[in-house]
Amino acid sequence: MTTGGRRLAVSVLVLVIGLLGLPAVAAAQAEGIGGVITNVRDGLPISGAEVTAYTPAGEWMGYGYTDSTGAYDIPWLEPGDYKLHVTAYEFLEQWAFGRPDFASADVVTAPGTASMALTPTVEYGAVAGRLTTEAGHPVASSAVTLYTAGENWVESTATDADGRYRFDRVRAGDYKLRFASYGHSTQWAHDATTFGEAATFTVAANAVTTVDETTLPSGDVRISVVDGMSGAPVANACVNADMGLSFPLFACTGADGTVTHRNVLTGTYRFTVSPPTGYLYGSMDNVVVTAGALTEATVELTPESVIDVVIRDRAGTPVAGACVVPVSEASGGIVEHTYRCSGADGRVRFVQWPQDRYRLFVYTQDGSLGAQWVGPDGGTGNLEHAAWVETAPGVVNDVAVRLDPAGSIGGLVTSAVTGQPVSGVCPSVTPVAAWYLEPINTLCTGADGRYTIRGLGPYNWRVQFPDRSGAHAWVWSGGAAHRLAADAVRVTRAGTATADAVLPAAGTVAGQVVGATLPVQYITVTAVNERTGDYAGPLGLVRSGARYELTALATQRVRIAYAATPAGFVEYPEPVRAVAGTTRTLDLHVPSAAAAPATPIGARQPV
């Protein structure tokens, strides 16, 4: 008989025996050894089990795998005695018959049959249940996730239209269940909101463990979005709340300006609104959803402020690649790298802009035309002469800019201490930040101490020289300690003005921040010039024990601010005199909780 014929005969016999409800016994073998491998618990066949034959002397002779009926066949074994070894996934390995090792294994004679029953190492059961609301209505399409008691993910499924779910083939043991459905908070069985609070249930072998769950109390919420000036409904505004919900509440308004969310877990929410074109972002706090009720709330959107800038050269030709930086009143003239640049039409448009007062700094990336502060009657290099642009809800500010031909400033930076060139200094025609911020169109000093600032308009500029190494004081052109005392450097068309700088030794103010509660890496100490509000040096260096050091200070009076607790910045009560080349000791004390913190100081400019 062929091998296929032998397998067919075994399969038919197992099928017949199974139908009769009798134990599975393999047919006699004409050659080799065959048989059936089953589960000792339920008598069901085990597929994929490996049966290996050895001679009594331990020599490997052949093997076979069980098919879907549990039947195996090791053909072409010479007549004689053998020992059989059986392995299967999730079952204890076995030597014939039920023996633990080769030495004690029973001998099987070929041709012949050898059927064995294996003991499972893993027992399985099932988990099933139903998710409903408090009113008994089914919750469909809810994500249901099974975790071990050790918080390891096992499997996920979803409830059907009747709120029912089921996990089959779950290993016997302890588990927890999580339910997550749209509009309902993530919850755990039973009525828990965290894994730790969740009930633990035990899955038994060959049994179905039932875990039904009822959603936590919920209500409905309707949000109306309206124009803050006219009160008209706003369409296409997207409303979102994500307060620990399994699925964020998200929907966009229609023509009536409303969105409604059903079955929202009771609690207090914050809704944010992503606006359509023409409005600023909006939000509403403390929206309370109560059980079985409809909560209504209205969010008013502020119409956007717009700054519309058109940039041309002196001939009236639109300029492409010109960049505009709106500098708010609070930023003190620091030109951040948040800018927008013009296209071929020379236009730059800032939309959804918050209400404030701004000065505009304009420059070209290639330096082909001169940078400027936009003044009331043309460009200027003087921050105080720049025009204010005041944004307001629903107002479009049209700003026309004419760029003049460019020139540059260059020079040599040396040390007053050593007389040698100072490298790594990046001079700037706008006030420098305490943190590192690369100045626009500046080539910093190298080993030769020389620098260049290109692409400047033909105006008077003041130049600041910050040595961030801490070895030298920050000074302005002419050796001034602050901007208003600095020498003006006149830039001419296509020319290079010279502005050399000799940097004095750094002045230092150092001490301890007494009463600090923030970790050292989060404590901030700054110093600004008393008169101008410009940063007088880099951010203070803070070491262990909350010891700080403000360095790079020129001879001047500074105001010191420090953030050392979660309450934020406070200001030292009086100006402090710093002297170049000397160190002053000054401890900074955190005010008591009863004392109101002062307004944080920063780089503030005179109006």
Side-chain angles (χ1 to χ4, degrees):
M1 180 183 292
T2 65
T3 301
R6 288 197 301 272
R7 286 181 176 167
L8 178 59
V10 170
S11 300
V12 171
L13 180 57
V14 169
L15 177 59
V16 171
I17 292 173
L19 292 173
L20 294 175
L22 300 175
V25 179
Q29 294 285 121
E31 61 179 2
I33 297 174
V36 177
I37 307 300
T38 57
N39 185 330
V40 74
R41 295 280 189 261
D42 52 23
L44 294 176
I46 300 173
S47 64
E50 181 180 8
V51 185
T52 307
Y54 296 86
T55 67
E59 181 183 0
W60 179 90
M61 297 302 295
Y63 67 96
Y65 289 97
T66 59
D67 59 20
S68 61
T69 69
Y72 75 93
D73 185 13
I74 308 175
W76 307 306
L77 290 176
E78 295 292 334
D81 293 337
Y82 297 90
K83 291 189 175 185
L84 300 183
H85 179 247
V86 186
T87 58
Y89 178 65
E90 295 185 344
F91 288 86
L92 292 175
E93 64 178 288
Q94 180 186 135
W95 291 84
F97 292 95
R99 306 299 184 181
D101 50 40
F102 176 85
S104 62
D106 294 324
V107 173
V108 179
T109 301
T113 60
S115 295
M116 287 169 274
L118 303 185
T119 301
T121 58
V122 180
E123 305 282 6
Y124 289 96
V127 181
R130 188 169 185 246
L131 179 64
T132 58
T133 65
E134 285 189 306
H137 302 304
V139 180
S141 302
S142 174
V144 187
T145 306
L146 186 68
Y147 289 85
T148 67
E151 207 169 354
N152 292 316
W153 178 90
V154 177
E155 189 178 354
S156 293
T157 188
T159 57
D160 62 17
D162 194 39
R164 298 187 182 279
Y165 72 92
R166 183 180 177 95
F167 296 101
D168 287 309
R169 196 170 168 76
V170 178
R171 290 191 180 197
D174 292 336
Y175 294 89
K176 295 187 178 187
L177 272 175
R178 186 183 73 173
F179 299 86
S181 52
Y182 179 80
H184 295 278
S185 172
T186 296
Q187 67 183 80
W188 299 77
H190 292 293
D191 297 329
T193 57
T194 66
F195 179 89
E197 297 170 349
T200 300
F201 55 90
T202 300
V203 175
N206 303 313
V208 177
T209 301
T210 300
V211 183
D212 293 329
E213 185 69 5
T214 301
T215 58
L216 295 170
S218 64
D220 299 337
V221 60
R222 177 180 296 139
I223 304 295
S224 298
V225 183
V226 301
D227 185 299
M229 298 182 69
S230 68
V234 177
N236 301 316
C238 295
V239 183
N240 178 71
D242 186 359
M243 302 292 289
L245 299 176
S246 52
F247 297 96
L249 298 177
F250 179 86
C252 298
T253 60
D256 64 351
T258 67
V259 296
T260 301
H261 297 290
R262 306 289 185 188
N263 300 319
V264 179
L265 176 70
T266 57
T268 302
Y269 294 87
R270 180 176 191 268
F271 285 87
T272 59
V273 181
S274 299
T277 301
Y279 292 92
L280 301 181
Y281 283 79
S283 65
M284 173 164 283
D285 294 315
N286 301 319
V287 178
V288 179
V289 178
T290 56
L294 173 64
T295 299
E296 298 192 71
T298 300
V299 179
E300 296 184 353
L301 293 187
T302 302
E304 69 179 356
S305 302
V306 177
I307 304 174
D308 202 352
V309 185
V310 178
I311 306 168
R312 297 183 174 89
D313 61 19
R314 279 296 165 187
T317 304
V319 177
C323 303
V324 182
V325 185
V327 180
S328 69
E329 185 173 14
S331 68
I334 294 173
V335 177
E336 296 274 9
H337 291 176
T338 52
Y339 55 82
R340 296 180 186 175
C341 301
S342 60
D345 61 356
R347 186 177 296 274
V348 178
R349 186 176 176 88
F350 295 90
V351 298
Q352 293 184 327
W353 213 246
Q355 184 172 356
D356 205 339
R357 294 213 307 168
Y358 299 90
R359 294 179 172 113
L360 304 183
F361 187 81
V362 182
Y363 67 97
T364 56
Q365 292 175 308
D366 60 4
S368 58
L369 291 170
Q372 63 172 255
W373 288 103
V374 178
D377 300 306
T380 178
N382 192 327
L383 174 62
E384 281 72 39
H385 295 168
W388 287 108
V389 176
E390 298 194 25
T391 56
V395 173
V396 177
N397 292 274
D398 292 310
V399 181
V401 177
R402 291 294 180 98
L403 294 183
D404 295 304
S408 60
I409 297 175
L412 174 66
V413 180
T414 57
S415 168
V417 179
T418 66
Q420 297 300 308
V422 180
S423 63
V425 176
C426 300
S428 174
V429 294
T430 59
V432 171
W435 57 95
Y436 180 75
L437 187 66
E438 184 177 351
I440 291 169
N441 289 339
T442 295
L443 179 63
C444 304
T445 61
D448 62 356
R450 296 200 169 274
Y451 75 93
T452 302
I453 307 173
R454 63 186 179 89
L456 298 174
Y459 323 119
N460 288 331
W461 296 89
R462 300 182 180 110
V463 185
Q464 189 176 14
F465 297 88
D467 178 13
R468 294 186 180 275
S469 72
H472 301 92
W474 289 14
V475 298
W476 288 80
S477 45
H482 62 81
R483 175 168 44 86
L484 298 183
D487 288 348
V489 181
R490 181 66 183 181
V491 172
T492 59
R493 176 178 180 176
T496 299
T498 299
D500 295 335
V502 179
L503 306 185
T508 300
V509 177
Q512 185 170 7
V513 184
V514 180
T517 60
L518 290 176
V520 169
Q521 62 268 31
Y522 298 122
I523 298 176
T524 303
V525 185
T526 63
V528 301
N529 180 267
E530 177 194 21
R531 184 174 177 189
T532 66
D534 296 337
Y535 284 109
L539 293 172
L541 176 64
V542 183
R543 297 183 172 89
S544 61
R547 296 200 60 81
Y548 79 94
E549 182 180 273
L550 288 165
T551 189
L553 303 176
T555 300
Q556 60 187 302
R557 285 163 62 88
V558 297
R559 298 198 309 273
I560 297 176
Y562 46 103
T565 72
F569 275 93
V570 294
E571 184 176 338
Y572 190 74
E574 58 188 27
V576 176
R577 180 167 176 78
V579 178
T582 69
T583 296
R584 175 174 178 174
T585 300
L586 179 70
D587 288 341
L588 306 175
H589 292 263
V590 175
S592 65
T599 302
I601 66 172
R604 297 187 295 219
Q605 301 293 339
V607 177

